[in-house]
């Protein structure tokens, strides 16, 4: 129940300060005044803001949260980290670039992965090797596969098919 009550308290702070929840996604709050707009996406205990280019308004939103909560960490700039992902705002080209490089580096280290492939699925992916038998450490395989499923859902959808197929092996 703690997560529920935390969310109730956090949303109340936003609503008391002029934000409203979107009906399609209640984890997104929006506030607008004239040509200024602020969107905030809530993910557990993180708030991810996208705002108009008014530094005073940005500071007001940060101060609103600082007044309500004892401890607050704020990241600003073109590159921020949220939920294990790095988000880079490429304003010049009008895009957001998301990756999990730190996560992948840790995965390579944990599982001793030293090689890379151009594609996540080679031409013989579906070829069944009956003679190959069971892996020595099935738990390690299952753990690696589940970790890759997590990465495919977050930032690397191109590995979804081979990871899903391998999960049935």
């Amino acid at each position: 129940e703690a997560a529920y009550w935390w969310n109730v308290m956090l949303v109340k702070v936003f609503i008391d300060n002029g934000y409203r929840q979107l009906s399609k996604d209640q984890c997104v709050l929006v506030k607008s005044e004239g040509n200024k707009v602020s969107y905030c996406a809530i993910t557990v205990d993180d708030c991810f803001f996208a705002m108009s280019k008014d530094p005073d308004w940005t500071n007001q939103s940060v101060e609103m949260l600082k007044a309500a909560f004892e401890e607050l960490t704020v990241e600003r700039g073109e590159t921020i980290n949220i939920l294990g992902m790095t988000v880079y705002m490429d304003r010049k080209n009008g895009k957001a670039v998301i990756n999990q490089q730190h996560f992948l580096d840790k995965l390579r280290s944990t599982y001793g992965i030293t090689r890379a492939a151009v594609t996540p699925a080679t031409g013989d992916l579906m070829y069944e090797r009956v003679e190959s038998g069971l892996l020595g450490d099935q738990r390690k395989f299952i753990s690696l596969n589940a970790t890759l499923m997590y990465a495919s859902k977050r930032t690397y959808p191109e590995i979804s098919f081979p990871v899903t197929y391998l999960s049935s092996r």
Side-chain angles (χ1 to χ4, degrees), residues 14-163:
F14 278 98
I15 290 173
D16 289 350
N17 285 278
Y19 282 80
R20 64 177 176 79
Q21 283 182 296
L22 296 183
S23 59
K24 299 284 184 186
D25 186 346
Q26 293 188 350
C27 291
V28 178
L29 297 110
V30 64
K31 178 179 178 179
S32 60
E33 291 177 9
N35 65 349
K36 296 184 277 188
V37 65
S38 171
Y39 291 93
C40 180
I42 298 173
T43 57
V44 187
D45 61 349
D46 289 321
C47 297
F48 183 75
F49 283 97
M51 307 186 91
S52 57
K53 296 178 181 181
D54 184 337
D56 290 333
W57 221 35
T58 303
N59 291 336
Q60 287 174 15
S61 296
V62 170
E63 291 305 318
M64 165 193 79
L65 292 172
K66 282 184 177 179
F69 305 104
E70 292 177 20
E71 198 171 313
L72 184 69
T73 302
V74 177
E75 285 188 58
R76 295 181 190 212
E78 301 294 314
T79 303
I80 62 166
N81 296 297
I82 185 168
L83 297 174
M85 297 179 290
T86 300
V87 180
Y88 168 69
M89 301 305 292
D90 182 356
R91 297 185 193 284
K92 181 180 175 186
N93 296 309
K95 327 185 242 191
V97 179
I98 303 171
N99 74 48
Q100 290 179 280
Q101 192 61 49
H102 179 71
F103 174 79
L104 293 179
D105 291 344
K106 185 176 176 185
L107 180 119
R108 283 188 205 96
S109 173
T110 300
Y111 293 98
I113 299 169
T114 57
R115 298 180 314 164
V118 176
T119 177
T122 59
D124 66 346
L125 174 69
M126 304 291 281
Y127 174 73
E128 292 213 27
R129 293 171 188 85
V130 178
E131 70 281 356
S132 65
L134 295 176
L135 294 172
D137 188 348
Q138 289 181 332
R139 286 183 176 267
K140 186 175 180 180
F141 173 78
I142 291 168
S143 176
L144 172 59
N145 201 63
T147 303
L148 290 171
M149 282 182 173
Y150 171 80
S152 76
K153 295 296 267 178
R154 300 294 285 294
T155 52
Y156 300 102
E158 66 274 14
I159 68 171
S160 295
F161 175 71
V163 170

